[in-house]
Amino acid sequence: MATVFVPSQMRDLTGGVDRIEVPAGTLRQLLAAMEATHPQLTARLWDGESLLPGLSVSIDGAFSSRGLLAKVGPASEVHFLPAIGGG
């Protein structure tokens, strides 16, 4: 199963859990599976059609431009990262 690392600022939505193991083949499947057990968390990550603005995802250390179609392997590590602004 893929391992999703929960950002520290969102752990209150998972009861303090910092990692979630989820079976999935794509990012869409991963989020849909997470929604069943952590709906408040997934509501902060996607709207059912795309990732929310200002959010990036790293799968196995690489950022993908495929969005919800990005491949997720059975041993993948997935990190959701808020965009960093500045100037």
Side-chain angles (χ1 to χ4, degrees):
M1 284 197 247
T3 302
V4 177
F5 291 83
V6 180
S8 59
Q9 67 269 32
M10 294 184 183
R11 290 185 189 151
D12 61 321
L13 304 173
T14 63
V17 174
D18 65 345
R19 298 174 192 193
I20 302 168
E21 292 195 1
V22 184
T26 65
L27 186 57
R28 179 185 300 277
Q29 292 170 345
L30 180 136
L31 287 164
M34 282 178 44
E35 195 163 39
T37 56
H38 298 94
Q40 292 178 333
L41 174 62
T42 55
R44 301 248 321 254
L45 301 174
W46 76 323
D47 63 9
E49 297 299 321
S50 62
L51 289 175
L52 293 179
L55 193 65
S56 295
V57 63
S58 168
I59 301 171
D60 297 325
F63 291 94
S64 173
S65 61
R66 299 197 64 208
L68 298 179
L69 298 177
K71 298 288 184 193
V72 176
S76 287
E77 292 185 356
V78 180
H79 296 264
F80 292 95
L81 306 163
I84 298 173

